[in-house]
Every structure is written in structure tokens, then in C-alpha cells.
């Protein structure tokens, strides 16, 4: 059984600079009419879209939501208020969980917000009847209700979205009316979601008045909250006690499709180089190094895999700060260059025995994964190499990946 690899020894030794993300995180969520999944780069606001199947237009102007799961599925939960599905937003909205009726939901209490805490495996939900529910997720697609409470919000306001600050155990939820500019945001502990500890209001984006808020997402890396009215999305710094700080971003939705809810999609890894096998190694043309889960703060399920490597080989993983870079360092007898930076010296783990007959798989959990926001934006690179009995070698592709929030 593979042991886990701690990043602390590597980061403690080489954390000198913090290269920026290979691809920036994105604000992401379903839209109201077509519908589609819309994602906007958090830095440039540039949009990209994909089309999910089985989810209809928003049931109500306030219904619809998104919640990203950075664990092994790396999928986006989406709902129109009554139906629920999970898709892969990085792969054209490929279905991960087929559309299904949202549990404990009817036209009398359609869903208006969702937020997933991967540390506790809890999906929080707000609905139009003013109730907050929370579920555990089993088997990747099954929700099991754990509890519910009635939100303590002023009369006349409707719950329209929620977000979780998982590192601090907090939940935020938005409430507004059909005619309000912006709305109120409430903060409570996740252990008692209806026990409000503080509130604040936001009603503008880039100096422009917002419509009623329909969704929110927590950004642990920025220490702030994203809020959207569907057309405009603002990022506001937030301190303890709901101390509202500066506006850090205002993105305009350039499509004719307003968001119905939002979350954050972590940055996406980049791959460099190709795999190779030489000498006595079994030929495994589909060998691939990839990520299990996303490298998000505190993610308990993040790890690295090597699929279809030559069975019987002794494999080693190399890891360093900085992205993969060519032409790399040729280190005979390896059959391909090492694309992980070699200055400062990389960390390594191994040897690991590749199981199976012909070609086999390895999985290396990176645990405990860091939860310090100071590491946000730090890009690392990883690459596997191996030695086969009788003198052969192999090398995998090199991955660049960046620590972000979700």
C-alpha cells in the first residue's frame, strides 16, 4: 500500500517564489434560460460555456444553483430548482451524475443555493421556503439528508444562495426581494447554520447598482465572497465579524443568459511532454500521470495517479516548485528528459512497485494537503520515472498544477 507524501518538506525547503496559476480559477454556474453552464476567468472575466443535459430553465427567478466538488469526481453540481445533476465542466459538461429529482424538494420549496464542504462531505442547500438543509454525499451521486433549520431572516426576504468557508467552518447565505438592489448576506457557523452571527449588505458592482442577488461563492484565497445578480458578479473582501472590505473584482456577464447561482472552479492543470518506455519495460502507450481531485486548500482527497505504467517496475515521483519546463534535463538511462525544475533540488518519493501484469496503476495521496491561504497561487510540477527489471526505464508526462480555492 502506498504511503502518503507530505508537501511540507518540499515547500519548507523551496518556497522562495510563488509562480502564478497555469490557468486561473473561474466563477461558474448554470444560467437561467437555455440553460448552459457559464464560467468566467476571475482575472479577465473571459467567458466559456458548455451545455448540460436534463436540466431545464430556472423554475423561478430565484431558483437554480451550483456547487463544485473538488474531490475524486471533480464535478459541478447544478440544479434548476427541482432537478439535480453533476457534470464535468472541464470536459464539455459530460454527465457524472444523471439528472434526478432533487431530494426533499417540490414546487413549494425549490432549491435556490448550494455549497459543498469537501472536508466534511456536506452539501448545504437553501430553498425558497426559507429552509437551510444539509446532506452527506455517498456513492458520488446520492444525497442523504442530515438536518434542516429555518433561516432567521427578516420577513419578506427570500433565500437565494449560499457559500461555505470550509477552513473556518462558516456558511454565508444571501437573501433579497424581487425589487431590492443587491441584498443581505448572513453568516453562521456550519454546525448551526441558522444561528446568524453577523450580516452585511452589498448592492453594487464596479459602481453600478446590482439587481437582486441570486448567488454567492466563498474564495478562501482572496479572503472574500463573490456575489452575483446574474448579470454582474463582484468579489468583496470580508474580515471577521462580516467586516466588509474593498471590492477586488467586478465581472460583467457578456451573454444574454444570467447566472442562477455560482461557485468557484479551481485552476486546471497543464501537461507537458509524453510518456516513454525503453529496454526491458513493458510497452504501455496509454501511460498517463494525472490528478485525483483538485489541489484546493484543505482538500482531503487530493492525490496523484500514474495509470498504465509498466508492471513490475520501481517508480519514483519527483515534485518541485514551478511549472514543467522544456527541454528539461536529460539523465541517462532515462528514456525522456526530466521536465520538473531541478533548481532548487526537487523532492522525491519512492520506490513504489507497479502492480499487475503488463501495465498497472499507482495512486499517491498527498496528505495532509495544505490549508494555508499564503500558498494560494503556488504552482508545482510532478513527474514519474521508473526502472524495470533487467535495465529498462520509463518516464511519464509532467504535470503543472496550482494550489487554489474552491
Amino acid at each position: 500500500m502506498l504511503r502518503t507524501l507530505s508537501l511540507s518538506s518540499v515547500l519548507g525547503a523551496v518556497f522562495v517564489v510563488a509562480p502564478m496559476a497555469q490557468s486561473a480559477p473561474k466563477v461558474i454556474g448554470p444560467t437561467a434560460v437555455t440553460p448552459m453552464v457559464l464560467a468566467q476567468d476571475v482575472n479577465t472575466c473571459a467567458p466559456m460555456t458548455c451545455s448540460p443535459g436534463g436540466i431545464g430553465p430556472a423554475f423561478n427567478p430565484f431558483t437554480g444553483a451550483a456547487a463544485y466538488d473538488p474531490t475524486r469526481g471533480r464535478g459541478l453540481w447544478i440544479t434548476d430548482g427541482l432537478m439535480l445533476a453533476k457534470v464535468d465542466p472541464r470536459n464539455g459538461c459530460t454527465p457524472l451524475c444523471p439528472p434526478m429529482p432533487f431530494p426533499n424538494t417540490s414546487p413549494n420549496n425549490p432549491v435556490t443555493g448550494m455549497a459543498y464542504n469537501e472536508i466534511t462531505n456536506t452539501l448545504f442547500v437553501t430553498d425558497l421556503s426559507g429552509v437551510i438543509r444539509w446532506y452527506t454525499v455517498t456513492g458520488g451521486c446520492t444525497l442523504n439528508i442530515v438536518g434542516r433549520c429555518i433561516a432567521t431572516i427578516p420577513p419578506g426576504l427570500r433565500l437565494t444562495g449560499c457559500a461555505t468557508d470550509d477552513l473556518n467552518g462558516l456558511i454565508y447565505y444571501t437573501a433579497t426581494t424581487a425589487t431590492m438592489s443587491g441584498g443581505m448576506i448572513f453568516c453562521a457557523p456550519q454546525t448551526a447554520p441558522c444561528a446568524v452571527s453577523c450580516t452585511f449588505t452589498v448592492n453594487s458592482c464596479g459602481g453600478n447598482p446590482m439587481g437582486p442577488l441570486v448567488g454567492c461563492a466563498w474564495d478562501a484565497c482572496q479572503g472574500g465572497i463573490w456575489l452575483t445578480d446574474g448579470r454582474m458578479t463582484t468579489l468583496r473582501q470580508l474580515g471577521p465579524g462580516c467586516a466588509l472590505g474593498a471590492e477586488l473584482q467586478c465581472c460583467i456577464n457578456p451573454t444574454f443568459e444570467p447566472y442562477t447561482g455560482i461557485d468557484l472552479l479551481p485552476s486546471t492543470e497543464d501537461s507537458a511532454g509524453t510518456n516513454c518506455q525503453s529496454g526491458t519495460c513493458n510497452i504501455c502507450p496509454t501511460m498517463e500521470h494525472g490528478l485525483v481531485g483538485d489541489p484546493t486548500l484543505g482538500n482531503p482527497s487530493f492525490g496523484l495517479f500514474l495509470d498504465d505504467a509498466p508492471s513490475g517496475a520501481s517508480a519514483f515521483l519527483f515534485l518541485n516548485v514551478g511549472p514543467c519546463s522544456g527541454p528539461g534535463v536529460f539523465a541517462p538511462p532515462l528514456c525522456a528528459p526530466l521536465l520538473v525544475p531541478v533548481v532548487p533540488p526537487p523532492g522525491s518519493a519512492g520506490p513504489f512497485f507497479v502492480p499487475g501484469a503488463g501495465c498497472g496503476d499507482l495512486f499517491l495521496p498527498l496528505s495532509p494537503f495544505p490549508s494555508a491561504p499564503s500558498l494560494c497561487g503556488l504552482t508545482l510540477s510532478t513527474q514519474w520515472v521508473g526502472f524495470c527489471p533487467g535495465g529498462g526505464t520509463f518516464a511519464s508526462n509532467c504535470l503543472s498544477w496550482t494550489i487554489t480555492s474552491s
Side-chain angles (χ1 to χ4, degrees):
M1 182 175 182
L2 294 182
R3 65 182 183 273
T4 58
L5 173 65
S6 173
L7 294 183
S8 59
S9 58
V10 177
L11 298 181
V14 301
F15 185 38
V16 178
V17 295
M20 295 309 292
Q22 299 297 289
S23 65
K26 296 175 175 61
V27 173
I28 189 168
T31 61
V33 182
T34 300
M36 60 185 180
V37 171
L38 170 65
Q40 290 183 270
D41 186 296
V42 297
N43 297 319
T44 67
C45 303
M48 59 181 293
T49 62
C50 61
S51 298
I55 296 295
F59 175 75
N60 176 286
F62 287 145
T63 62
Y68 183 73
D69 176 358
T71 60
R72 293 183 179 226
R74 303 181 77 184
L76 181 73
W77 290 104
I78 55 174
T79 181
D80 55 18
L82 297 178
M83 297 295 291
L84 175 69
K86 195 177 190 182
V87 299
D88 180 355
R90 296 185 176 94
N91 191 25
C93 283
T94 299
L96 298 177
C97 297
M100 65 193 92
F102 207 115
N104 314 108
T105 302
S106 74
N108 294 322
N109 65 340
V111 171
T112 61
M114 295 191 295
Y116 181 66
N117 181 340
E118 65 272 16
I119 299 174
T120 62
N121 184 34
T122 304
L123 181 72
F124 290 91
V125 172
T126 57
D127 69 39
L128 207 58
S129 71
V131 171
I132 300 174
R133 316 174 217 155
W134 51 103
Y135 298 80
T136 58
V137 183
T138 58
C141 296
T142 302
L143 303 189
N144 308 286
I145 193 160
V146 175
R148 67 184 85 198
C149 62
I150 299 174
T152 53
I153 59 176
L157 296 187
R158 295 292 190 100
L159 292 178
T160 60
C162 63
T164 55
D165 174 0
D166 300 336
L167 300 182
N168 294 303
L170 300 174
I171 181 171
Y172 295 91
Y173 39 97
T174 54
T176 189
T177 69
T179 59
M180 184 180 290
S181 176
M184 295 184 66
I185 302 92
F186 300 79
C187 176
Q190 292 183 22
T191 54
C194 292
V196 174
S197 59
C198 59
T199 65
F200 61 101
T201 61
V202 170
N203 55 24
S204 66
C205 181
N208 303 302
M210 299 179 76
L213 297 179
V214 297
C216 59
W218 179 255
D219 190 329
C221 287
Q222 296 291 344
I225 190 168
W226 292 88
L227 299 154
T228 188
D229 64 0
R231 301 290 185 185
M232 295 182 285
T233 305
T234 180
L235 171 61
R236 297 295 297 267
Q237 281 185 322
L238 195 64
C242 295
L244 192 62
E247 182 177 64
L248 302 179
Q249 180 62 289
C250 175
C251 283
I252 306 300
N253 178 349
T255 74
F256 293 100
E257 293 272 356
Y259 288 113
T260 62
I262 56 172
D263 205 348
L264 280 185
L265 178 68
S267 60
T268 302
E269 67 275 13
D270 286 340
S271 180
T274 57
N275 74 72
C276 68
Q277 303 92 38
S278 70
T280 58
C281 286
N282 297 326
I283 301 302
C284 300
T286 58
M287 184 172 71
E288 179 187 15
H289 169 35
L291 305 183
V292 175
D294 288 279
T296 54
L297 295 177
N299 186 355
S301 300
F302 178 66
L304 307 171
F305 72 78
L306 178 65
D307 279 357
D308 294 330
S311 297
S314 296
F316 296 81
L317 177 79
F318 286 89
L319 178 149
N320 211 346
V321 169
C324 305
S325 60
V329 174
F330 286 86
L334 293 180
C335 55
L338 193 65
L339 300 179
V340 169
V342 295
V343 178
S348 64
F352 303 113
F353 178 77
V354 181
C359 304
D361 303 336
L362 292 175
F363 170 61
L364 181 59
L366 289 185
S367 176
F369 198 73
S371 58
S374 61
L375 295 178
C376 288
L378 179 66
T379 297
L380 299 103
S381 53
T382 46
Q383 185 177 8
W384 293 87
V385 302
F387 301 89
C388 300
T393 67
F394 75 78
S396 76
N397 58 302
C398 180
L399 277 187
S400 303
W401 44 274
T402 302
I403 299 174
T404 55
S405 178
S406 73

